[in-house]
Amino acid sequence: MIEFISLARRTALHGKELAEATRRVVESGSYLFGSELSRFEHDYAAYLNVSHCIGVGNGLDALTLIYRAYIEMGVMSPGDEVIVPANTYIASILAITSNGLVPVLVEPRLDTLQIDDSLIERHITRRTKSVMLVHLYGRCSYTPLVGSLCSSYGLRLVEDNAQAHGCRFEGRLTGSLGDAAGHSFYPTKNLGALGDAGAVTTCDDELAAAVRCLHNYGAVKKNVFNYEGRNSRMDELQAAVLNVRLRYLDEENERRRQMADYYHSHIHHPAVLLPSAGVPESHVWHVYPILAPQRDSLREHLSVHGVGTQIHYPIPPHRQRCYGQWNSLALPVTERIHAEELSLPIGPELTFEELSEVVDAVNSFEE
C-alpha cells in the first residue's frame, strides 16, 4: 500500500537529528520560551527576510491573533470585511469570524485553484479592511494586481501560509509578501513539527508586539496584562524539531517539484485534469491536486490498486452547518473544485518507483 502520507517514514529521514534535538530539550529542563524557540524565531525570520517571527500554538491561532491584534490596534473593528478565497480550508474563515469580522468569499480560478484576482475589486466596499491570501496546496496566490489593490484601497494583506513554506514570488518567500502571515507547522506540512505549532511573521513592529502579548495571556510582562489574551505558545520540543527540519526545507521542496513534474509528464488519463505547473519557484506542492468528475469512483479504483489519497476538501466552507447563513450562496467554481478534487501521494519520503505505481493506477482507471 502506498500511503497518502507516512509520517513515520518522513520523520525517519532525519531521525537521528530529531532524536538528538528532542533529547536535548528533555534534558535541558526548559520546555517553554527557551533557547530552541528563540533560535527558531530568529532563523525562520531570517529565512523569510522579515523582522519578526512569533511562535504560537497552531496555524489557526496564528491567523486569529493577527486579526485580533489589528482590532486591538484600532486598524479594524468587528463588522469589518475580509476578502478571502471561497475554496479555502475552514480555518481561514474561522480566524475571521472568531474576531467578529465578516468574510467575503471570492471564487477561485479553475486553472490555478487560487483566488481569482480579477474578481477582488468588485467585492471591495467601505467596510473592507483586509485581503487574506491562501497559498492553497502549496502554490503562491500573490499577484501584482492583489498588491496594487491593497495599496490603492489601504487594505491589510494577510497571508495564510499554512501550506506553502518555502514558496516564492519573484524571489520573495510567501510569508513575507504581505503585512503579516500565519503559518501552520502541523506534522503533514512541508515544514512540519511533531505536533501542533504555528507562527506569525511580519515586519510591522506594533503588530508583532501586540501578538507577543496576546499569545501569552495578554501579558506585556510577567503578571501585567494589557489585553484579554489567550494561551497559544510553541513549546521547546516543537521548536527543536522545526530547527532541524528548516535546514532541509528547500531541498525537500525541490524533490516535491521533481515529483510533480513526473506526474505532469506521465499521467495521461482524459478524465483527469492536472494542476497547472506555473513558474517552478511559485509552487512547493504541499499536495498534488487533480480534478476528476468521477472523483469518488477514481478514489475507490486507486484504493483497490493500493494507492492512498485524500480529498482537500469535500465540503466548502459556505456549505458547512456552522455557517448556515451562507449555505444558499452560489459559488459554482468553488463547488466544482470541492466535488472533484483528489490529492495524490507526494512528499520527500516517497520513491519514484512508488510514483510510477500511482501513475499506472490512475491511467488504468475506466470510467
Side-chain angles (χ1 to χ4, degrees), residues 43-340:
D43 289 357
Y44 195 51
Y47 174 75
L48 296 179
N49 193 28
V50 296
S51 304
H52 304 279
C53 172
I54 304 102
V56 300
N58 54 70
L60 172 57
D61 281 359
L63 292 171
T64 302
L65 287 163
I66 289 169
Y67 283 109
R68 172 69 186 282
Y70 278 136
I71 290 172
E72 295 290 353
M73 292 161 58
V75 174
M76 299 178 193
S77 301
D80 286 339
E81 297 172 352
V82 178
I83 290 173
V84 62
N87 64 317
T88 187
Y89 183 56
I90 198 169
S92 310
I93 313 296
L94 290 170
I96 298 168
T97 58
S98 65
N99 280 296
L101 302 169
V102 180
V104 177
L105 305 177
V106 175
E107 287 267 62
R109 288 174 46 169
L110 197 60
D111 59 338
T112 66
L113 307 181
Q114 307 299 314
I115 192 169
D116 187 338
D117 59 359
S118 71
L119 302 179
I120 291 177
E121 188 167 23
R122 70 185 66 175
H123 288 86
I124 296 174
T125 73
R126 63 181 182 82
R127 297 306 304 267
T128 308
K129 295 297 175 62
S130 174
V131 172
M132 181 192 289
L133 286 181
V134 183
H135 306 302
L136 199 62
Y137 308 130
R139 183 178 190 134
C140 179
S141 63
Y142 179 86
T143 68
L145 178 57
V146 172
S148 176
L149 289 171
C150 288
S151 177
S152 296
Y153 287 94
L155 308 178
R156 293 299 199 276
L157 180 57
V158 174
E159 298 172 77
D160 181 341
N161 199 44
Q163 299 185 2
H165 313 117
C167 188
R168 298 175 186 270
F169 174 81
E170 296 184 351
R172 296 170 59 201
L173 284 154
T174 55
S176 70
L177 301 174
D179 296 288
H183 308 254
S184 168
F185 306 119
Y186 187 75
T188 60
K189 305 300 186 185
N190 291 34
L191 180 58
L194 294 184
D196 275 322
V200 172
T201 57
T202 184
C203 287
D204 185 327
D205 295 344
E206 185 181 3
L207 178 71
V211 170
R212 282 204 180 276
C213 288
L214 287 165
H215 88 116
N216 187 32
Y217 298 101
V220 64
K221 61 182 180 180
K222 190 171 183 178
N223 295 320
V224 178
F225 303 96
N226 283 11
Y227 306 103
E228 295 179 23
R230 64 197 302 165
N231 176 10
S232 179
R233 303 177 295 203
M234 183 191 296
D235 64 61
E236 285 288 282
L237 279 170
Q238 304 310 331
V241 168
L242 292 170
N243 284 329
V244 171
R245 287 188 155 161
L246 180 58
R247 296 198 292 267
Y248 298 98
L249 177 60
D250 288 342
E251 173 188 327
E252 293 182 350
N253 281 344
E254 182 56 34
R255 183 168 175 81
R256 288 174 179 271
R257 292 187 183 102
Q258 294 168 3
M259 291 182 162
D261 287 344
Y262 184 87
Y263 278 149
H264 272 77
S265 300
H266 291 82
I267 295 176
H268 303 300
H269 199 289
V272 172
L273 178 63
L274 301 181
S276 62
V279 179
E281 71 168 6
S282 70
H283 213 317
V284 293
W285 300 102
H286 171 59
V287 298
Y288 188 88
I290 63 174
L291 299 182
Q294 301 298 319
R295 189 260 315 277
D296 294 340
S297 296
L298 173 59
R299 190 180 192 199
E300 176 61 25
H301 168 82
L302 293 176
S303 178
V304 168
H305 285 75
V307 176
T309 58
Q310 288 289 334
I311 299 172
H312 296 88
Y313 303 95
I315 306 173
H318 73 283
R319 295 296 193 197
Q320 298 287 351
R321 181 179 178 183
C322 61
Y323 289 130
Q325 67 270 39
W326 297 306
N327 284 176
S328 62
L329 281 178
L331 297 167
V333 178
T334 292
E335 287 155 18
R336 176 181 171 183
I337 291 170
H338 286 260
E340 296 185 5

Side-chain angles (χ1 to χ4, degrees), residues 24-45:
R24 185 171 63 246
V25 172
V26 170
E27 293 180 357
S28 74
S30 176
Y31 307 131
L32 287 169
F33 294 131
S35 61
E36 298 288 351
L37 177 62
S38 295
R39 177 182 167 192
F40 177 72
E41 290 180 335
H42 174 273
D43 289 357
Y44 195 51

Side-chain angles (χ1 to χ4, degrees), residues 10 57 135 162 249 348 350 365:
R10 187 170 296 180
H135 306 302
L249 177 60
L350 294 169
F365 174 60

